[in-house]
Amino acid sequence: MASAVNNPVTSEDIAYFASAGIEMIHSDNKLEDRFNADMFDKYFGDSQLALFPKTAQQVSTILAYCNEHHISVVTQGGNSGVAGGAIAHNGEVILSLRDMNKVREIDSVAGVIVAESGCVLEDLDNFVQEHGFIMPVDLGGRKRCMIGGNVSTSAGGLRYLRYGSMHANVLGLEVVLPDGRILDALFSLKKDASGYDIKQLFIGAEGTLGVVTAVSISLAPKPRSSQIAVLGLNEFSKIHRAFVLARQNLGEIVSAFEFWEKRCNEIVVEFEKYD
């Protein structure tokens, strides 16, 4: 099997992207750490070029050109991951979706939102709450992570017990394939038995099959109230029992069930400087 070719970016490549009206940041050395480092400064890259498309057509232009010229691409959203998946370790071009941040549509009757991949999760959650809904997925990195990255990593998050992962909530996708073709599967029907469920291939694929540029998501009704119970248990087996009892007596209203050890609590208190 022939090895993949990753050609370096040239001045001709940069001129082409500029002529296509695509915004960019370029460095003769390497870009600053906000593009080349993860949020915990654990993983570092050496990309010299970041592109900022505003439409799916511009993403198509970028991928078609890079595919033809054997230029590797790393897609980047909020760069809130902790595994280095959005870092250009080998000088790849960074394809940032931060400027694709529009809500295209919200259906307050069906409870469906269509949003572009660069929309920040917390912003979407605040927006849909004004319409009586919440996003079915919630993460600790909600202030930075973007919905396209949530889809591409099949995020589960804090509400997984009640609403499931992205596989359970995504209704449709708009995806740009590696050769630049645009796959429009941005459906919004909750009940659809029309054939192959193509979107599921891209959920959790982390951009290896294509770049997600927009997503249609089923929303959850905003709860009228929420409660948090903190229990102190002295045996791990009792945690199992508490979980079973919660599911039996509270049913589907349980959104989350988490546990932490005493030492974890001590570390948080020390780090946050709580009294």
Side-chain angles (χ1 to χ4, degrees), residues 1-253:
M1 181 181 295
S3 61
V5 177
N6 178 20
N7 289 330
V9 176
T10 67
S11 57
E12 289 78 10
D13 300 327
I14 295 173
Y16 173 80
F17 295 131
S19 68
I22 299 168
E23 292 190 17
M24 70 184 76
I25 297 177
H26 174 254
S27 172
D28 292 331
N29 184 16
K30 71 174 186 177
L31 299 175
E32 55 193 291
D33 281 351
R34 63 188 173 117
F35 299 109
N36 274 321
D38 74 319
M39 64 183 298
F40 293 130
D41 289 333
K42 182 178 180 181
Y43 300 99
F44 296 91
D46 54 5
S47 177
Q48 296 177 309
L49 177 65
L51 302 174
F52 305 94
K54 289 183 169 60
T55 65
Q57 187 56 55
Q58 286 191 337
V59 175
S60 173
T61 297
I62 292 168
L63 292 185
Y65 182 89
C66 289
N67 183 66
E68 180 181 354
H69 293 82
H70 302 289
I71 300 171
S72 296
V73 175
V74 169
T75 306
Q76 197 171 95
N79 202 11
S80 60
V82 296
I87 300 302
H89 298 281
N90 297 301
E92 299 92 342
V93 171
I94 292 175
L95 176 61
S96 172
L97 297 176
R98 71 178 191 186
D99 289 346
M100 294 190 65
N101 54 14
K102 298 181 180 61
V103 173
R104 295 185 183 178
E105 180 185 359
I106 183 168
D107 186 335
S108 297
V109 176
V112 175
I113 189 172
V114 179
E116 294 179 343
S117 287
C119 291
V120 175
L121 180 59
E122 184 176 65
D123 294 341
L124 284 180
D125 198 50
N126 291 337
F127 175 77
V128 300
Q129 284 194 40
E130 297 175 359
H131 296 266
F133 298 96
I134 61 172
M135 296 295 291
V137 173
D138 186 25
L139 304 171
R142 68 183 70 86
K143 293 181 181 294
R144 287 184 56 175
C145 68
M146 299 177 182
I147 197 64
N150 299 153
V151 170
S152 295
T153 57
S154 189
L158 308 177
R159 297 170 179 162
Y160 184 88
L161 276 181
R162 186 169 185 180
Y163 303 115
S165 70
M166 282 297 182
H167 279 288
N169 294 286
V170 171
L171 302 176
L173 294 174
E174 178 185 79
V175 182
V176 181
L177 303 179
D179 62 359
R181 288 178 295 168
I182 299 177
L183 173 64
D184 186 358
L186 203 56
F187 310 121
S188 58
L189 289 176
K190 293 188 176 182
K191 183 178 181 180
D192 186 355
S194 59
Y196 294 113
D197 196 359
I198 299 297
K199 68 179 183 292
Q200 297 293 346
L201 291 173
F202 299 95
I203 301 172
E206 300 192 22
T208 57
L209 301 179
V211 176
V212 175
T213 51
V215 55
S216 173
I217 299 179
S218 176
L219 302 172
K222 182 179 179 180
R224 294 185 178 181
S225 64
S226 62
Q227 292 79 35
I228 298 175
V230 179
L231 307 177
L233 303 173
N234 56 13
E235 293 180 13
F236 187 74
S237 61
K238 292 182 179 179
I239 296 175
H240 291 172
R241 182 61 178 158
F243 175 71
V244 171
L245 289 174
R247 295 299 297 270
Q248 289 177 344
N249 291 278
L250 300 174
E252 65 177 15
I253 70 171

